[in-house]
Amino acid sequence: MPKRKKRIVIKVGSNVLAQNNGGLDVKSIEQLTRQIAALNKQGIEIILISSGAVAAGRSLINLPKKTDMISQRQLFAAVGQIKLINIYAEQFAQQGCLSAQVLVTKEDFRDREHYINMKNCITVLLQNNVLPILNENDVISVTELMFTDNDELAGLVSSMVDADKLIILSNVKGIYNGSPGKPSSEVIPVIEYGDTSFENFISSEKSNFGRGGMLTKCSIANKVASLGIPVQIANGRDENILTDILEGKTVGTLFTPKKNISSIKKWVAHSEGFVKGIVYIDEGAEKALRSNKPNSLLPVGVTKIEGSFKKGDIIKITGTSGKQLGVGRAEYNSEKATELMHKKNEKALVHYDYLFLNDHQLI
Ligand code: GLU
């Protein structure tokens, strides 16, 4: 089999793409498309997740004051996305690169079937040397079922395509070892997997234009690193940022990855939004799951079951402290699980291969 090409997911935040007054910063987009096209020509597959639709739309349309927040977002996104994608398409074309727009909602990742459809879509684009540009379909994603932000979408896509790296570009240089405004604070170059000492410095402030902030970025970076993918957070406005990162220069903050995890576990890890039931387990079961051995969740350790789920549904696993331990795919429905609760020598409720445990949670 031919060796798979290097595959990088790049997420660009609204603050990299928008000017302070709200319009799109074409120069900044130009800078990024030039670098991405160059990497593409070197044989690196790039999947671009780009925000900026709402910011672009805001500068194009004057709204009557009465328009409610949801309608505003829909209007801005509908007007802005076409503008944004046109600039990308034109600039990539000038660099000899064919690009495509893929607009997604959280629903598109709902179950394994939807997930595989989405994966096939990205794969066929890459196989045909087309550069996918993804954004959330903000026009219809308006309910609680939308992504927290595009960082979440980028994390999901990275694990879906088995990316070799996720690069998150925003308008900050990385994670600082103090308040970013203080002259004594410096960017932490590397955060080893499992090291949480940097957390005290993360501000919960949101950016000007986008929905995300450093807290969600770090949380996603941690999760993606726990799935075996390195993540780099860097300043997207630095002129040669992408080439610098791929040449291995010390820029931004790199989250080093945990050991490799199977793609099925990656899907389970990102299915939390579709939980159909909660399973409470006792101390013994918690210990078994947390041990270094590949243990499945057995009914003997289950103390309570909430919700109604079918075989194949995603269920949340909660420990004695009430904290979520992880998620998994149910091997049988909630009725059978209730029947087998506390019983020894029964078939696993969640098989190890379909079990994802949170190592550490920031939010
Ligand atoms: N999808 C939104 C946009 O294109 C941005 C969401 C986010 O800030 O992450 O404007």
Side-chain angles (χ1 to χ4, degrees), residues 11-15 17 49-57 73 76-77 80-81 84 103 134-139 147-153 207 209-213 216-217:
K11 186 260 167 177
V12 188
S14 300
N15 276 314
L17 304 168
I49 318 280
S50 179
S51 301
V54 174
R73 221 175 85 85
F76 288 152
Q81 178 64 28
L84 177 72
L103 294 178
L134 278 77
N135 194 2
E136 183 168 12
N137 193 349
D138 299 300
V139 174
F147 290 106
T148 316
D149 49 39
N150 269 354
D151 298 323
E152 187 189 1
L153 171 62
S207 60
F209 296 110
R211 290 208 298 277
T216 46
K217 276 183 187 48

Side-chain angles (χ1 to χ4, degrees), residues 163-343:
D164 294 293
K165 187 168 208 160
L166 165 63
I167 300 174
I168 299 180
L169 297 178
S170 77
N171 61 347
V172 286
K173 287 201 174 304
I175 313 294
Y176 285 82
N177 61 2
S179 162
K182 269 195 183 163
S184 58
S185 305
E186 284 171 0
V187 170
I188 309 171
V190 179
I191 294 175
E192 295 294 344
Y193 183 71
D195 176 5
T196 56
S197 54
F198 68 94
E199 277 173 25
N200 305 332
F201 309 123
I202 303 168
S203 111
S204 53
E205 260 172 55
K206 298 256 163 146
S207 60
N208 272 351
F209 296 110
R211 290 208 298 277
M214 238 346 142
L215 196 58
T216 46
K217 276 183 187 48
C218 287
S219 179
I220 294 295
N222 239 334
K223 183 165 183 179
V224 174
S226 82
L227 296 172
I229 302 168
V231 182
Q232 194 132 6
I233 297 182
N235 190 344
R237 290 203 178 257
D238 285 356
E239 206 182 329
N240 290 312
I241 191 70
L242 291 173
T243 8
D244 285 352
I245 290 174
L246 286 152
E247 279 171 10
K249 291 193 184 145
T250 313
V251 279
T253 301
L254 171 70
F255 287 74
T256 64
K258 197 185 167 183
K259 62 183 181 347
N260 274 333
I261 301 233
S262 77
S263 62
I264 202 113
K265 268 188 191 279
K266 288 181 187 173
W267 168 69
V268 173
H270 285 285
S271 304
E272 232 167 88
F274 306 108
V275 161
K276 292 282 164 34
I278 308 175
V279 171
Y280 294 84
I281 64 170
D282 63 19
E283 227 170 286
E286 186 170 338
K287 248 195 186 153
L289 295 187
R290 287 244 174 260
S291 76
N292 289 332
K293 292 194 193 114
N295 288 326
S296 300
L297 174 61
L298 301 172
V300 66
V302 176
T303 54
K304 193 168 96 177
I305 287 168
E306 272 176 18
S308 164
F309 53 86
K310 298 195 297 285
K311 177 178 177 342
D313 279 346
I314 297 295
I315 50 178
K316 188 155 103 180
I317 301 158
T318 301
T320 43
S321 67
K323 253 198 172 169
Q324 178 180 329
L325 300 174
V327 282
R329 199 180 81 158
E331 291 295 322
Y332 37 86
N333 63 27
S334 43
E335 287 78 33
K336 187 164 176 196
T338 310
E339 205 179 289
L340 297 182
M341 207 160 64
H342 302 300
K343 290 199 177 138

Side-chain angles (χ1 to χ4, degrees), residues 98-116:
L98 185 61
S99 57
Q101 168 181 258
V102 182
L103 294 178
V104 302
T105 63
K106 205 165 182 171
E107 281 286 285
D108 299 323
F109 299 86
R110 187 182 57 208
D111 50 35
R112 187 88 186 135
E113 207 178 313
H114 280 78
Y115 185 84
I116 295 290

